[in-house]
Amino acid sequence: MKKSKKIAVFLGVFLALAAVFYFALQPKTNSALKTNTTTKTATSKAIKQKKKITLTAVGDSLTYGVGDTTNKGGYVALIKQKLVKQNKLQVTTYNYGKTGDRSEQIEKRVLESKTIQKNLKNADVITLTVGGNDLMQVLQKNFLYLANNTLSSTMHLLRNHMLKN
C-alpha cells in the first residue's frame, strides 16, 4: 500500500506540473483571441511570445538518449532542435534521464533532489518517459511462468487441432 501511495503522489506531482505548464503557456485573455481558437494555436502563440524556453526531461534510458543512432541526445535534443528551428527560440535543457531506472527510482530521484525539483518548477516544457523498465522487470521475473503458460496453452490447442484431423 505504501508503494502505491508513493506512485500516486509521484503521478499527482507530474500531473500538477503538466497543468502548470499548460496554463503558463496560455496567452493572457485578450479580445483579439477568439473563443474557438484551438489549444495548439494558443500554445504556439504563447511560445512565440517567449524568447527563451526551459525544457526539463525526467525518466529512463529513452530520456537519457539510449538508442539514438545519431548520438545527439535522443528525443530531448530533437525537441530542442525543433523549438529552435521552427520557433526561433533559445532553449535550455536539463536531462535527468537515467538508464535502467524504474518508476520508483525516478520518483525517488525527483523527491530527493532539490535541483530536479527546482528545474521542474521553472520549466516551460516537461517530458517524462517511464514504465519500460517496470515492464521489463515484470517480464523477466515472470518469464518462465509466462512461457510455461503460453507453451502449455499452445500445446493444448495444437493437440486438440491434431485430434480433430
Side-chain angles (χ1 to χ4, degrees):
M1 187 66 177
K2 196 175 189 182
K3 191 181 223 180
S4 63
K5 195 173 190 179
K6 281 185 178 181
I7 291 171
V9 169
F10 179 69
L11 291 175
V13 167
F14 277 103
L15 289 175
L17 289 171
V20 167
F21 161 68
Y22 174 78
F23 289 110
L25 287 182
Q26 295 302 310
K28 303 292 183 230
T29 305
N30 117 16
S31 59
L33 282 177
K34 297 180 181 175
T35 55
N36 63 353
T37 304
T38 65
T39 302
K40 184 176 180 181
T41 303
T43 303
S44 293
K45 286 181 181 180
I47 287 175
K48 286 178 184 175
Q49 291 172 353
K50 293 188 94 170
K51 297 293 181 207
K52 296 180 181 181
I53 296 287
T54 300
L55 182 150
T56 300
V58 179
D60 54 24
S61 58
L62 293 176
T63 303
Y64 181 75
V66 170
D68 178 7
T69 56
T70 66
N71 293 322
K72 293 184 179 176
Y75 78 84
V76 175
L78 291 174
I79 293 171
K80 177 179 181 174
Q81 181 182 11
K82 193 168 188 173
L83 288 170
V84 168
K85 186 176 180 180
Q86 289 184 352
N87 298 305
K88 310 287 188 252
L89 298 170
Q90 180 182 347
V91 181
T92 303
T93 59
Y94 297 98
N95 189 332
Y96 297 106
K98 187 172 176 191
T99 301
D101 266 9
R102 294 182 311 277
S103 57
E104 72 272 6
Q105 294 164 312
I106 295 168
E107 175 191 24
K108 182 178 180 185
R109 281 192 297 123
V110 169
L111 294 175
E112 291 179 354
S113 173
K114 298 297 181 198
T115 303
I116 293 175
Q117 291 173 20
K118 176 185 166 210
N119 287 329
L120 285 169
K121 181 179 178 183
N122 295 326
D124 297 296
V125 179
I126 297 170
T127 65
L128 173 64
T129 308
V130 63
N133 294 317
D134 296 79
L135 178 61
M136 288 303 296
Q137 183 183 44
V138 170
L139 291 174
Q140 288 170 349
K141 285 183 177 179
N142 297 293
F143 179 75
L144 289 177
Y145 174 76
L146 294 170
N148 285 339
N149 279 349
T150 303
L151 183 60
S152 176
S153 63
T154 302
M155 293 301 287
H156 181 71
L157 289 172
L158 179 61
R159 186 175 64 88
N160 286 342
H161 178 71
M162 296 298 278
L163 290 176
K164 286 182 183 178
N165 295 325

